[in-house]
Amino acid sequence: MEKSTKISIWQLFSIVLLSRLLTLLTYTPVGAESLKHTSDYFPAVGFAVLFILLFSLPLVWQRKAFPNQDLVDIAYYASPLLSKGTSLCLAFFFTFNALTTLGKLEWFVGTIIFPENSSSLFVLICVAAACYAASLGLEAVGRASGISLVVFCASFIFIMFAMADKTDFLNFSPVFYDGVQPSLKAGLDAATRTVEIAVLSVLMPRASGNPGKMYTAFITSLGGWMLLVFFFVTGGLGDFVFSQLFPIHAMAELSQFSVFQRFDVLLTGVWILTAFIKISLLLYLQAMLLQKSFVPKWKNIYILVTGVVIFLVQILFGGVFSEFFFGTSLLERLIFFVLFVVVLPLAVLTAATLKRKRAHE
């Protein structure tokens, strides 16, 4: 078990930002809370950041009250049984998000890269590689995330530069054309896709550095990237964005600069690399949590079993898990998210705080 393994604060920043940028990269207007006017994306970003900050309040409490402990350690202080339950809940949550990440990746590959062929072999290779990467440990995932974040940012800057002369300000509709509610709901919808809050509740004590500054940089960078991406996507595609399954990929197909005319290939490579790292991270996290509360020596077994499970579920049930985020209502997704990211941490922190208070009386 890698209990003493530490990563730098930069590596933690790279892990959570790259993970969340993948969610931005895989954005699709096909969903229950899709917007109907291009300029509504910009206030939606502001609302998303505010909601993410709101959902992060338990994380702030955790950092201030128990600065050197992750959520499972805090739960163990309150009760060993609570610790096991917390580990199982978070392991399930991370496994579920690994399934949705894999599902969206296969959806992309099946519709864009291999539209007429089975993507089962691709899924098998991706899961096998992710299991191997997860078995290498947190430091390896952190290093890979740092390098991949640089590649991700450089690729998108190149694509945005190529889109500069194709951006038409006439493509932007008036802000709040249908009122504030659509942007508000879209912002809340985006916030419910931020699994990185739960990731930080587990990994924050494993990073050497100032987590407050890291989190500020994470939120600022995320908001900035969302604004930039939506500016060039909506400015380049206009209302055409609403008819695209993957509008950011459509933007990459439209962008070209001098002799460079296949930026969509570059974006595809970035997408696959980022998804691979996120799946590796989630597999590692669920194994680490199960190690803490059950058999410590079974790290690779946990990773392998979970890898087999997500592969079989994806192959046998197709897009059932990824459709959770497209076919269900915002209220249902919100309840699911809040239970694991807000309610569970609050329950653990309350129990631990009460026990510590009783011990000091």
Side-chain angles (χ1 to χ4, degrees), residues 106-263:
E106 186 189 22
W107 192 12
F108 172 74
V109 169
T111 56
I112 303 297
I113 304 178
F114 307 121
E116 298 180 359
N117 299 303
S118 172
S119 54
S120 299
L121 179 60
F122 173 84
V123 173
L124 176 61
I125 294 173
C126 180
V127 172
C131 287
Y132 174 72
S135 70
L136 296 178
L138 180 60
E139 191 175 358
V141 174
R143 287 197 302 267
S145 297
I147 296 171
S148 300
L149 181 62
V150 173
V151 174
F152 184 103
C153 294
S155 301
F156 258 90
I157 289 172
F158 206 15
I159 291 173
M160 290 173 188
F161 182 77
M163 282 293 297
D165 63 341
K166 298 173 182 64
T167 301
D168 187 350
F169 286 93
L170 294 177
N171 285 331
F172 297 106
S173 60
V175 180
F176 297 140
Y177 186 83
D178 290 332
V180 178
Q181 188 178 23
S183 293
L184 190 65
K185 291 176 67 176
L188 181 58
D189 180 60
T192 62
R193 303 173 193 272
T194 312
V195 64
E196 292 70 28
I197 300 173
V199 171
L200 285 172
S201 73
V202 175
L203 290 185
M204 202 163 47
R206 307 276 298 269
S208 302
N210 189 325
K213 291 182 178 179
M214 182 279 301
Y215 189 74
T216 301
F218 165 67
I219 288 294
T220 304
S221 301
L222 176 60
W225 272 107
M226 292 175 74
L227 288 172
L228 278 173
V229 169
F230 285 132
F231 174 80
F232 285 103
V233 169
T234 57
L237 299 179
D239 289 339
F240 189 56
V241 70
F242 301 116
S243 64
Q244 295 298 300
L245 188 59
F246 299 109
I248 296 177
H249 183 267
M251 176 192 71
E253 288 183 313
L254 180 64
S255 62
Q256 51 183 270
F257 176 73
S258 184
V259 297
F260 300 101
Q261 299 183 1
R262 292 303 307 272
F263 285 109

